[in-house]
């Protein structure tokens, strides 16, 4: 099971040919998603300058669409984002207002210093767009079409320094709008956390959604029904009626909608449910 999970999380980091070549099994070709193979210059059909431009464009596209595990951003780049020229304190109020115009202006000013690495927007910057539920800014960042971005994109499948992906962050904050946006731009619901810096290992976005829902203060406040009320059933039936009671409440809609949305895009859903039962967790 652990091996299968690892293969699932890193499936875009390698190309596997399971066919036969001249009666012999073909070998597995490992591909680094950060530095994928690209056509080499030397055929004389373009100038060195044009080749560099094409290579840069190729790498930007690849790094913005491949699954990047682990985080390739060096620690000094993240430090610069938080401390160099005070970018993070300036970015936060922009994301709270979800102002695309102000975001692009700040990005153009700080792009080459601390907002990008390896020609794409660093995960730490994009992570804060997800945390602040800045849907418009996140959309512009993933599309990468604004002139101020100069082709730089945010990758929805790029692990951050804490071992999470954007979809896990959106699920943790019950942001259905952000989840839908990430899915439209290719975010995978089948990538698992890596346990970096104390996070729990091998969690799917669906796991985060379910477990955080169970820990939400709203459920804590409403799970226990008043025992002194004689209209409630005998203790042997209380658990069933608690579930019915909660599922019928309007406030549960956001939790249920989010769980259904993630479950609809999650592979091997039955296996995940069985794992939850085997682990003695609440469904």
């Amino acid at each position: 099971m652990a091996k299968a999970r690892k293969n699932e999380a890193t499936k875009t980091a390698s190309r596997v040919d399971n066919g036969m070549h001249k009666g012999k099994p073909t070998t597995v070709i490992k591909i680094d998603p950060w530095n994928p193979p690209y056509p080499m210059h030397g055929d004389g059909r373009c100038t060195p300058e044009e080749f560099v431009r094409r290579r840069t464009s190729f790498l930007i596209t690849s790094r913005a669409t491949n699954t990047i595990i682990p985080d390739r951003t060096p620690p000094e780049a993240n430090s610069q984002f938080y401390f160099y020229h005070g970018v993070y304190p300036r970015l936060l109020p922009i994301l709270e207002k979800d102002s695309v115009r102000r975001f692009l202006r700040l990005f153009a000013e700080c792009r080459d210093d601390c907002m990008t690495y390896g020609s794409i927007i660093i995960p730490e910057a994009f992570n804060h767009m997800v945390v602040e539920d800045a849907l418009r800014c996140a959309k512009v960042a993933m599309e990468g079409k604004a002139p101020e971005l100069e082709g730089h994109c945010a990758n929805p499948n790029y692990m951050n320094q804490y071992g999470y992906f954007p979809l896990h962050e959106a699920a943790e904050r019950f942001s259905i709008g952000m989840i839908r946006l990430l899915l439209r731009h290719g975010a995978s619901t089948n990538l698992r956390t890596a346990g970096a810096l104390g996070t729990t290992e091998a969690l799917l976005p669906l796991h985060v959604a379910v477990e955080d829902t169970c820990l939400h203060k709203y459920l804590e406040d409403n799970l226990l029904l008043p025992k002194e009320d004689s209209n409630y059933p005998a203790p042997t039936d209380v658990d069933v009626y608690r579930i019915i009671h909660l599922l019928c409440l309007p406030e549960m809609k956001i939790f249920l909608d989010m769980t259904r949305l993630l479950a609809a895009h999650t592979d091997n859903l039955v296996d995940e449910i069985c794992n939850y039962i085997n682990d003695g967790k609440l469904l």
Side-chain angles (χ1 to χ4, degrees):
M1 178 62 71
K3 183 177 181 181
R5 289 178 175 177
K6 182 179 180 181
N7 289 340
E8 176 62 35
T10 59
K11 62 181 179 180
T12 57
S14 63
R15 183 177 66 228
V16 181
D17 184 353
N18 293 320
M20 302 288 287
H21 179 66
K22 295 182 179 180
K24 297 181 180 180
T26 56
T27 58
V28 176
I29 302 174
K30 295 291 185 180
I31 294 177
D32 180 359
W34 185 259
N35 291 305
Y38 47 86
M40 297 300 293
H41 178 61
D43 55 13
R45 287 181 291 183
C46 66
T47 65
E49 294 77 13
E50 175 64 14
F51 168 72
V52 171
R53 188 192 66 79
R54 291 181 183 180
R55 177 181 180 274
T56 301
S57 177
F58 174 81
L59 287 176
I60 289 175
T61 300
S62 177
R63 291 171 179 175
T65 54
N66 277 322
T67 299
I68 306 297
I69 304 173
D71 179 14
R72 296 296 188 96
T73 312
E76 56 269 23
N78 288 325
S79 297
Q80 284 185 336
F81 170 72
Y82 283 107
F83 303 113
Y84 185 74
H85 291 325
V87 174
Y88 171 66
R90 296 167 62 191
L91 178 63
L92 188 58
I94 293 174
L95 297 180
E96 290 174 348
K97 296 289 186 180
D98 199 7
S99 172
V100 171
R101 180 178 57 83
R102 293 174 60 196
F103 163 67
L104 291 175
R105 184 189 305 159
L106 177 64
F107 185 90
E109 178 184 336
C110 305
R111 176 183 57 236
D112 298 329
D113 294 323
C114 53
M115 291 283 277
T116 63
Y117 174 72
S119 302
I120 64 171
I121 298 173
I122 64 171
E124 202 63 23
F126 186 62
N127 181 69
H128 285 289
M129 298 182 197
V130 177
V131 170
E132 298 300 329
D133 206 26
L135 294 173
R136 292 191 292 270
C137 289
K139 181 176 183 291
V140 168
M142 284 188 286
E143 289 176 346
K145 295 179 180 179
E148 294 87 344
L149 297 178
E150 293 190 353
H152 296 83
C153 299
N155 184 341
N157 292 313
Y158 189 169
M159 178 183 287
N160 65 24
Q161 62 176 320
Y162 302 106
Y164 268 52
F165 294 90
L167 207 51
H168 291 86
E169 295 287 356
E172 191 167 79
R173 286 156 180 80
F174 311 112
S175 176
I176 296 177
M178 185 62 74
I179 290 173
R180 288 182 177 138
L181 178 66
L182 291 168
L183 291 175
R184 284 199 299 269
H185 284 82
S188 173
T189 58
N190 299 299
L191 297 175
R192 299 175 185 270
T193 57
L197 299 182
T199 59
T200 305
E201 242 182 300
L203 289 181
L204 295 170
L206 181 61
H207 294 145
V208 175
V210 172
E211 294 188 9
D212 280 21
T213 295
C214 295
L215 295 173
H216 196 274
K217 189 176 187 301
Y218 176 78
L219 290 185
E220 180 182 337
D221 292 343
N222 289 275
L223 187 59
L224 298 177
L225 304 181
K227 296 181 179 179
E228 64 274 9
D229 193 331
S230 60
N231 293 324
Y232 283 104
T236 54
D237 298 326
V238 164
D239 289 339
V240 174
Y241 278 87
R242 283 177 181 168
I243 295 174
I244 296 174
H245 171 75
L246 287 172
L247 292 179
C248 291
L249 292 175
E251 291 83 356
M252 279 297 294
K253 187 177 187 305
I254 186 173
F255 303 140
L256 296 174
D257 286 350
M258 178 180 62
T259 303
R260 290 191 189 103
L261 180 60
L262 291 171
H265 293 83
T266 300
D267 294 341
N268 303 319
L269 189 60
V270 174
D271 291 342
E272 295 306 323
I273 294 174
C274 291
N275 290 337
Y276 252 51
I277 294 173
N278 292 333
D279 292 342
K281 295 180 179 178
L282 175 66
L283 286 175

